[in-house]
Amino acid sequence: MQISKILHTGLLCALSFVAFAQQADVTLTGQVRSEEGETLPGASVSLKGTSHGTFTNADGKYTLKDVRPGSYKLLVTFMGYQAQSKDITLKAGDHFKHNAKLVSETRELESVSVIGRTETKEINRQAYNVTAIDAKKLQNSTLDLSHALDRVSGVRVRESGGVGSNMNFSLNGFTGRQVKFFLDGVPMDNFGSSFQLNNIPINLAERVEVYKGVVPIWLGSDALGGAVNIVTNTRQNSYLDASYSYGSFNTHRTAINAGYTAKNGFTAQLNAFQNYSDNNYWITVDVADVNTGEYFRNQRLRRFHDTYHNETVIANVGVVGKKFADRLLLGITLGKNKAEIQTGARMVSVFGQWHRKGNIVMPSLKYQKKDLFVKGLNVNISANYNLGQEQNVDTVYRRYNWFQQFKQYEGKGSERERSLYKFRNNNGLATANVTYQIDPRHSVTINNVLNTFNRKGRDELFPESAKYEQPRVNTKNVLGLGYKFDYSERWNTSLFLKHFSQNNKFSVSYNPTGNWGDEAFMTQRNKFEKLGYGIASTYFLFKNFQLKGSFEKSYRLPETDELFGDLLNLEGNIELDPETSYNYNLGFSYNGAINRVHRFSVDANVLYRDAQGFIRPRLNANQTKQVMDNLADVTNFGVDGEVRYSFRQLFTAGANITYQNLRNNTRFEEGYTTESPLYRDRIPNMPFLFGNADAAVFFKDLGKKGNTLTLGYNLLYVHAYYLYWPSLGSDKLDIPEQLSHDVNVVYAMADGKYNVSLECKNLLDAKLFDNFSLQKPSRGFYVKLRYFISK
């Protein structure tokens, strides 16, 4: 509690800076037009390095009020146009006017194969080790967000199957819940199964920011190894983006994104998407006849009980550009999903009736205001509460094999664990971020994230069972205090403190009498409280050569599914402790050009992680489920890098590679005096060498001016890795080396208004595996139609 008081005192001290004497106000106005003289509503106008920024209205006009006198760099940007930068000097009492005329750039085709740094260079100029993906360049593809991220250096997205399957996100050796996900800066901890990374279409995002290791203070959460921030379209203009795709295994995807902003500030946004797939792709397995026991090896068969669908709608209405709020939105997220369960944690477990379904009903509130009460004081508040529910349906007493044969049994049983359990997690989340820009060089930030969880449910098959009435309650709070020093355009440094706290309430069963079948429950509580800290700094040695370094001591509190289980393939472990890590990052980036024709970039990073209480999955005692467990000490030394090249706007290519050396650093296991045989073993079931390569050729004005044809290619490589500990057993099972090829053809017409794309994924029909023996989809073909207009 003493630590928490210190940070709250820091909040009061930070806000006390508003007592600084204010100088006479300066107002900036102007209008933004294209070369042809058209007004550009929704263009971004900002003063670099400050909190001052706005968007042009329907007439292309903008106003920046209450700016302090001084020298600034005025930035004007608009999608499809070259950014404009102008050095300005403001004097006390001035009314400064600047009309900007933006030059149209030849738009690169939004191709599935072109992945690189976002054109918003400010993202990559941060001191943090961050890679930003310009999602607009991928919106003609059938990719979801997880597969787009799978092409970023340091990232591996591991799936247990096809569309909608369970996924595990790995970033520089940290995996699963050690990496946190955000939607427009709001944690996605409580979004439920209807809103997962691998069912969100790429069209929902404008860009995606991947923070490796150290996470900035304004993304307030207990991220141990990094964070992913999905940034949606927040421009104050009107637009429509609609697409539909169809492909192998009866896969359908639809996405609609629309926005409207009136002159009076009223705004409405709609994001809707749908996924459906039979997931009946080909696999190669060994099968035993359920009646005779005869064994058949290497049978090529289709999956038969893996249909998945989800539908989601996100709607927001509110106002923008008001005196009391730059943005005030009331929203609702509605969604549902159903997933048939084909296998357990391994493919030897086959199911034919078991399924799971769920929905999301989540009201939300978002409030943003720059210069609240005083200049330089910016406030961002959000809150949501998920009222959705999940249900596990397992009531058929059968045993299946991959031939779709089954053996029916008498009585009331199930395929895994008889259940009609329906539950609500009652997840609430509230965030508050307050930043005060003391002057152009100094700023302070306070960020707080509160997350609540209270699982309630019942099973109509066992209405009298007391176990469903037992508490599963969790409250988590992360409070952060940060300071940023911008010495110049070439150097800036950030310092921060984070306070982590968690309270769990749960029950354990015991036998009070010793008689068979007698069961009682005892309510217990535990509590964690930790303090983390860090620093991030960057220096531009030359204009295009950037050095970065960062360090953080971070904690990650156990998640509710890890503590209480997910009632699917993850068994709960209430004994889990928080994990902590000392994260070190050092990297550089260089961007160059030869004769303004050949452009290239190089990024490289070195990392070291020293984690205690490292939480990772293992198979439970009967090898039917996974369970999370703490390893006392895990270290990781790794490197990743990316090289990109482009020739004019006709050709682009790039490649990245990642190596991570995760080692078990636990020398003595608990209760043993001799050295563990697993000491310094490589962590099993974790890829350690992988990479991507891509290339694309552009044919401009093909068929008609403004039309572009793109031919694209992408390669994924993953080196073989052990399934179990290398030092155990003589027969080393491994997950084999994987090589996957994807090709695509995209034809964009009328400068991207109408788009048609054809894709082939896993071109050579390779056998791909991620988790244990679970095989991923075979070769598939897909077509996508997309319409996009923005005013």
Side-chain angles (χ1 to χ4, degrees):
M1 293 300 294
Q2 185 64 29
I3 295 171
S4 180
K5 289 180 180 179
I6 293 174
L7 287 181
H8 281 97
T9 302
L11 170 61
L12 296 176
C13 293
L15 296 179
S16 69
F17 281 112
V18 303
F20 275 78
Q22 305 296 317
Q23 302 183 55
D25 297 343
V26 181
T27 300
L28 286 77
T29 61
Q31 190 175 39
V32 180
R33 294 177 176 270
S34 67
E35 288 179 287
E36 294 77 19
E38 293 184 44
T39 58
L40 297 179
S44 172
V45 182
S46 63
L47 297 179
K48 188 173 181 179
T50 75
S51 59
H52 293 286
T54 188
F55 295 94
T56 56
N57 62 19
D59 297 321
K61 296 180 179 180
Y62 70 91
T63 301
L64 291 175
K65 296 181 179 180
D66 303 326
V67 181
R68 295 179 181 176
S71 296
Y72 299 93
K73 187 180 290 293
L74 181 67
L75 297 177
V76 183
T77 61
F78 190 71
M79 186 177 68
Y81 291 81
Q82 296 178 10
Q84 185 181 102
S85 175
K86 180 180 177 62
D87 293 321
I88 62 174
T89 300
L90 305 179
K91 297 180 181 179
D94 270 1
H95 185 100
F96 188 91
K97 185 175 183 179
H98 174 70
N99 294 327
K101 183 176 290 187
L102 300 186
V103 178
S104 176
E105 62 183 11
T106 304
R107 294 182 60 181
E108 283 190 22
L109 179 64
E110 298 164 344
S111 163
V112 59
S113 60
V114 184
I115 297 183
R117 301 281 187 168
T118 177
E119 293 181 9
T120 309
K121 295 181 180 179
E122 291 303 308
I123 300 296
N124 294 316
R125 290 175 66 89
Q126 296 181 86
Y128 303 94
N129 182 4
V130 56
T131 297
I133 303 172
D134 188 351
K136 298 188 298 295
K137 296 180 180 179
L138 300 170
Q139 290 175 350
N140 281 333
S141 76
T142 60
L143 292 174
D144 52 49
L145 283 174
S146 67
H147 289 91
L149 288 166
D150 199 29
R151 301 179 179 184
V152 175
S153 62
V155 172
R156 275 298 291 132
V157 177
R158 305 168 62 196
E159 294 182 295
S160 60
V163 176
S165 63
N166 287 343
M167 58 157 282
N168 187 289
F169 187 92
S170 175
L171 177 59
N172 287 140
F174 286 96
T175 186
R177 295 163 178 83
Q178 295 165 337
V179 181
K180 296 297 182 179
F181 298 94
F182 300 80
L183 185 65
D184 292 323
V186 178
M188 296 174 61
D189 296 355
N190 65 331
F191 278 36
S193 62
S194 296
F195 202 94
Q196 298 295 318
L197 199 66
N198 61 345
N199 65 27
I200 303 175
I202 192 67
N203 298 67
L204 180 70
E206 186 163 290
R207 71 173 183 272
V208 184
E209 303 161 359
V210 182
Y211 292 89
K212 304 174 184 179
V214 182
V215 179
I217 190 70
W218 58 272
L219 288 178
S221 188
D222 57 329
L224 189 75
V228 176
N229 185 33
I230 304 163
V231 181
T232 62
N233 188 343
T234 57
R235 289 176 284 117
Q236 297 179 17
N237 64 334
S238 300
Y239 58 91
L240 173 64
D241 185 350
S243 63
Y244 168 76
S245 70
Y246 172 76
S248 298
F249 322 122
N250 196 25
T251 301
H252 305 259
R253 296 178 184 266
T254 308
I256 299 174
N257 302 296
Y260 170 76
T261 302
K263 291 183 178 181
N264 64 2
F266 172 79
T267 188
Q269 299 172 345
L270 175 69
N271 305 101
F273 57 89
Q274 163 270 334
N275 299 280
Y276 176 91
S277 182
D278 289 340
N279 283 322
N280 59 339
Y281 56 85
W282 293 98
I283 56 174
T284 302
V285 290
D286 299 336
V287 189
D289 190 291
V290 297
N291 297 309
T292 67
E294 186 178 359
Y295 205 65
F296 301 88
R297 292 189 177 276
N298 297 320
Q299 300 295 299
R300 182 170 169 82
L301 303 167
R302 283 188 180 273
R303 294 169 73 98
F304 62 91
H305 182 66
D306 203 15
T307 298
Y308 174 84
H309 72 83
N310 81 296
E311 300 82 33
T312 303
V313 174
I314 309 169
N316 289 282
V317 295
V319 294
V320 296
K322 297 297 185 179
K323 290 184 178 181
F324 59 87
D326 295 331
R327 180 179 292 265
L328 176 60
L329 298 177
L330 294 176
I332 186 74
T333 299
L334 303 171
K336 65 177 183 177
N337 74 93
K338 179 181 178 181
E340 295 178 344
I341 311 301
Q342 180 70 90
T343 71
R346 303 178 65 191
M347 290 185 71
V348 294
S349 300
V350 187
F351 306 113
Q353 296 292 325
W354 180 22
H355 64 274
R356 189 174 189 177
K357 54 187 177 181
N359 60 52
I360 177 174
V361 180
M362 188 171 71
S364 63
L365 168 69
K366 297 179 182 178
Y367 174 79
Q368 297 175 5
K369 183 67 177 80
K370 294 182 178 180
D371 299 326
L372 180 66
F373 305 130
V374 294
K375 289 173 288 187
L377 183 63
N378 303 328
V379 176
N380 194 332
I381 297 173
S382 67
N384 59 58
Y385 195 89
N386 190 353
L387 300 168
Q389 63 184 17
E390 309 278 341
Q391 184 174 28
N392 193 32
V393 181
D394 186 7
T395 59
V396 178
Y397 199 9
R398 291 178 180 176
R399 179 167 64 89
Y400 279 84
N401 68 8
W402 284 110
F403 288 144
Q404 301 187 40
Q405 298 173 325
F406 64 86
K407 182 173 288 187
Q408 184 76 47
Y409 297 94
E410 296 293 331
K412 296 180 179 180
S414 65
E415 295 184 82
R416 165 68 72 76
E417 183 178 347
R418 185 169 175 81
S419 175
L420 277 177
Y421 184 52
K422 183 182 292 186
F423 63 95
R424 298 180 188 272
N425 284 329
N426 297 302
N427 254 167
L429 188 142
T431 70
N433 185 281
V434 180
T435 298
Y436 182 63
Q437 188 78 37
I438 303 169
D439 58 37
R441 288 189 176 183
H442 306 273
S443 63
V444 291
T445 299
I446 293 288
N447 192 89
N448 195 82
V449 177
L450 174 65
N451 197 318
T452 64
F453 174 94
N454 185 4
R455 180 176 290 174
K456 297 285 187 180
R458 65 183 302 273
D459 192 331
E460 63 185 69
L461 297 176
F462 309 100
E464 305 301 324
S465 176
K467 73 177 183 179
Y468 299 118
E469 300 175 2
Q470 303 310 307
R472 295 177 178 86
V473 180
N474 170 283
T475 302
K476 181 170 64 177
N477 193 82
V478 181
L479 173 65
L481 170 64
Y483 163 74
K484 185 179 180 182
F485 176 58
D486 284 292
Y487 179 77
S488 66
E489 284 290 311
R490 299 179 65 177
W491 175 42
N492 70 75
T493 297
S494 296
L495 301 165
F496 57 86
L497 292 171
K498 290 183 179 179
H499 177 258
F500 307 88
S501 62
Q502 181 174 4
N503 290 276
N504 300 314
K505 180 181 178 182
F506 56 96
S507 65
V508 295
S509 63
Y510 69 100
N511 189 317
T513 64
N515 298 325
W516 185 87
D518 193 8
E519 185 180 34
F521 296 89
M522 180 183 300
T523 299
Q524 295 188 355
R525 302 173 186 267
N526 58 23
K527 180 179 180 180
F528 310 116
E529 193 168 2
K530 303 291 183 180
L531 181 67
Y533 49 86
I535 182 173
S537 186
T538 184
Y539 181 74
F540 285 82
L541 194 60
F542 307 109
K543 180 179 179 181
N544 295 326
F545 188 87
Q546 182 182 13
L547 298 175
K548 293 184 177 184
S550 56
F551 162 78
E552 178 182 27
K553 180 184 180 183
S554 183
Y555 287 88
R556 207 271 294 186
L557 306 172
E559 297 290 334
T560 52
D561 281 355
E562 296 171 324
L563 294 168
F564 307 127
D566 69 352
L567 304 175
L568 191 62
N569 282 321
L570 183 63
E571 185 177 286
N573 181 4
I574 199 63
E575 302 298 326
L576 282 175
D577 293 321
E579 54 187 352
T580 183
S581 180
Y582 295 88
N583 299 332
Y584 304 84
N585 300 282
L586 184 64
F588 78 88
S589 63
Y590 177 75
N591 296 277
I594 302 175
N595 298 327
R596 297 185 179 181
V597 174
H598 304 277
R599 297 185 178 274
F600 58 91
S601 64
V602 180
D603 296 271
N605 300 282
V606 178
L607 62 95
Y608 181 75
R609 312 281 189 252
D610 184 358
Q612 287 82 42
F614 195 79
I615 297 176
R616 63 175 296 274
R618 61 170 173 81
L619 288 175
N620 66 356
N622 59 11
Q623 296 198 356
T624 60
K625 294 185 179 183
Q626 290 185 339
V627 61
M628 308 305 286
D629 215 344
N630 289 102
L631 289 177
D633 193 356
V634 172
T635 61
N636 179 24
F637 172 80
V639 294
D640 66 64
E642 181 178 25
V643 178
R644 299 207 62 82
Y645 165 80
S646 64
F647 173 70
R648 298 186 185 276
Q649 292 182 343
L650 303 176
F651 174 77
T652 183
N656 65 63
I657 190 74
T658 299
Y659 171 77
Q660 51 196 27
N661 188 20
L662 280 89
R663 296 285 175 173
N664 176 26
N665 213 36
T666 307
R667 189 166 187 175
F668 298 98
E669 300 286 350
E670 185 177 350
Y672 292 86
T673 58
T674 58
E675 183 176 280
S676 169
L678 307 180
Y679 177 59
R680 299 308 297 164
D681 254 16
R682 187 187 299 279
I683 300 298
N685 194 35
M686 180 74 72
F688 65 89
L689 180 63
F690 52 90
N692 292 271
D694 65 81
V697 180
F698 305 92
F699 299 91
K700 302 290 184 180
D701 298 326
L702 184 66
K704 185 179 180 181
K705 184 176 177 59
N707 294 358
T708 305
L709 176 71
T710 293
L711 306 179
Y713 167 78
N714 193 85
L715 166 72
L716 167 67
Y717 167 77
V718 182
H719 194 280
Y721 52 98
Y722 285 132
L723 178 59
Y724 301 114
W725 291 103
S727 295
L728 295 182
S730 57
D731 185 15
K732 299 287 197 305
L733 296 176
D734 67 5
I735 295 176
E737 179 182 85
Q738 299 174 64
L739 206 59
S740 177
H741 307 265
D742 299 342
V743 293
N744 61 87
V745 179
V746 183
Y747 189 53
M749 297 162 280
D751 293 321
K753 186 175 183 179
Y754 309 99
N755 307 271
V756 180
S757 62
L758 301 173
E759 299 178 48
C760 178
K761 298 180 180 179
N762 194 5
L763 177 66
L764 301 183
D765 203 22
K767 294 180 182 178
L768 304 178
F769 301 88
D770 274 340
N771 295 314
F772 298 109
S773 59
L774 301 178
Q775 193 169 329
K776 294 171 63 179
S778 51
R779 177 172 49 226
F781 298 90
Y782 306 87
V783 60
K784 180 175 181 178
L785 307 176
R786 177 173 174 246
Y787 173 79
F788 175 77
I789 186 171
S790 178
K791 295 182 179 180

